Amino acid sequence: MTDKSPADNFPAGYEPSKIWTWEKGNGGQFANINRPIAGPTQEKELPVGKHPLQLYSLGTPNGVKVTILLEELLAAGHSGAEYDAWLINIGQGDQFGSGFVDINPNSKIPALMDHAPKDGGKPLRLFESASIMTYLAEKFGAFLPTDLRTRAETLNWLFWQMGSAPFLGGGFGHFYAYAPMKIKYAIDRYAMEVKRQLDVLDRHLADNQFMAGKEYTIADMAIWPWYGNLALGQAYGDAGDFLDVQSYRNLQRWTAEVLARPAVKRGRMVNRTSGEPSEQLRERHDASDFDTKTVDKVANT
């Protein structure tokens, strides 16, 4: 019997061309909206509501980060954080409308317009979730510590999340749940990295109540929608079992503590288009919308 080489474990037949070319409709979920070029595909203005803060988003982990922060700011008494949250349906290509591209040339949610910036000037655009969160925390002086060391630790973990989540969502999540075929090498490669990330969090949270220590900050709000949801077994089908998320005890403790916050429960509902109808608030324009305009209530009117 001859020993097999590592290459024997992989599918054969694909050799990259000298220059990559785009093949439309190459399979997999979201293939219809993925493209290798930027810019708008349609002329479409964005709606503007009555509040200074206008959010254009979807209830994905990156969108939920911002709505959790906005709800936490309101819960802390910052009335200026009232906002309109408009649904951007990325499955239908809303992110490629000209109005949205004007705010975010990268065509990714979330995007925010502040119509009352502190400098009193024209409306200010914000894109990338960490940029939006840092801006809002500084605007209202909340959830971003002023103490040098705690602030640095908050930003450490905020940007850890920004660098790590693509391996979780675009890497592991894509190949485990969305790719048109199961590729063992790809799933193993990204599962290994996600397990390492979970261990990073679990070890850190063994000695810290929250990500920056004893203080709840924008770092927790940014990390929770990605890794908290995974710890709850609510991401990528049965991925929680596959990754044995229950074994990360400190992560589980932190996940439960953050989820118990009323503002987190509300923030998770905004611009949500899946799950329990009572937990979907497609658009949010007033605090009362949580009581009157969730999908289950709208459907029964």
Side-chain angles (χ1 to χ4, degrees):
M1 180 181 294
T2 58
D3 293 334
K4 287 186 176 182
S5 70
D8 293 328
N9 295 320
F10 307 118
Y14 174 67
E15 289 290 337
S17 59
K18 186 175 181 179
I19 299 175
W20 182 84
T21 57
W22 180 24
E23 296 180 8
K24 295 183 179 180
N26 59 356
Q29 194 167 348
F30 311 118
N32 64 313
I33 59 170
N34 290 333
R35 59 193 188 122
I37 54 176
T41 61
Q42 55 186 310
E43 290 295 322
K44 187 176 182 181
E45 292 185 7
L46 291 174
V48 179
K50 63 183 179 181
H51 301 299
L53 297 177
Q54 298 291 304
L55 179 67
Y56 304 94
S57 192
L58 182 66
T60 67
N62 283 334
V64 168
K65 296 179 202 176
V66 176
T67 50
I68 286 177
L69 173 55
L70 287 165
E71 291 298 327
E72 290 282 12
L73 287 167
L74 291 169
H78 298 282
S79 59
E82 269 293 352
Y83 66 104
D84 291 277
W86 302 94
L87 181 66
I88 298 297
N89 191 324
I90 63 175
Q92 296 178 6
D94 290 350
Q95 69 275 32
F96 301 122
S98 57
F100 189 88
V101 175
D102 284 344
I103 301 177
N104 185 358
N106 196 39
S107 293
K108 302 289 184 182
I109 63 95
L112 180 76
M113 288 295 294
D114 185 355
H115 289 263
K118 281 189 172 183
D119 65 2
K122 64 181 182 179
L124 187 151
R125 76 174 186 179
L126 292 141
F127 59 91
E128 291 296 328
S129 56
S131 175
I132 296 171
M133 296 180 81
T134 303
Y135 175 84
L136 291 173
E138 291 180 336
K139 178 182 176 79
F140 294 102
F143 302 113
L144 180 56
T146 56
D147 169 74
L148 174 66
R149 295 180 182 277
T150 313
R151 177 186 173 88
E153 190 70 356
T154 300
L155 294 177
N156 285 341
W157 287 107
L158 175 64
F159 288 100
W160 174 88
Q161 185 278 315
M162 295 295 288
S164 296
F167 289 95
L168 172 55
F172 173 78
H174 175 78
F175 285 107
Y176 187 80
Y178 303 133
M181 67 180 71
K182 302 296 184 187
I183 303 173
K184 184 178 187 301
Y185 172 78
I187 292 173
D188 284 351
R189 166 67 181 86
Y190 286 108
M192 182 182 300
E193 173 59 17
V194 172
K195 293 280 286 184
R196 189 191 68 80
Q197 292 175 4
L198 293 172
D199 195 41
V200 167
L201 290 171
D202 198 63
R203 289 170 183 266
H204 178 71
L205 290 166
D207 301 316
N208 297 275
Q209 181 182 4
F210 297 111
M211 295 310 303
K214 295 181 180 180
E215 191 170 347
Y216 175 68
T217 70
I218 56 174
D220 299 283
M221 301 176 208
I223 293 169
W224 196 96
W226 284 99
Y227 296 91
N229 268 333
L230 184 63
L232 292 172
Q234 296 181 1
Y236 314 120
D238 61 356
D241 292 334
F242 182 73
L243 296 169
D244 189 23
V245 294
Q246 289 297 326
S247 66
Y248 301 97
R249 302 293 178 83
N250 304 307
L251 176 61
Q252 290 292 335
R253 186 270 308 159
W254 170 84
T255 294
E257 187 169 353
V258 174
L259 180 59
R261 299 178 67 91
V264 173
K265 294 180 184 296
R266 291 192 298 273
R268 294 182 74 205
M269 296 169 63
V270 179
N271 297 145
R272 189 170 180 177
T273 60
S274 62
E276 291 293 326
S278 62
E279 296 180 354
Q280 296 181 47
L281 182 61
R282 299 293 175 84
E283 291 187 356
R284 186 260 192 224
H285 303 289
D286 285 294
S288 61
D289 291 347
F290 291 100
D291 299 320
T292 62
K293 294 185 179 179
T294 52
V295 167
D296 60 320
K297 294 183 176 68
V298 172
N300 292 327
T301 58

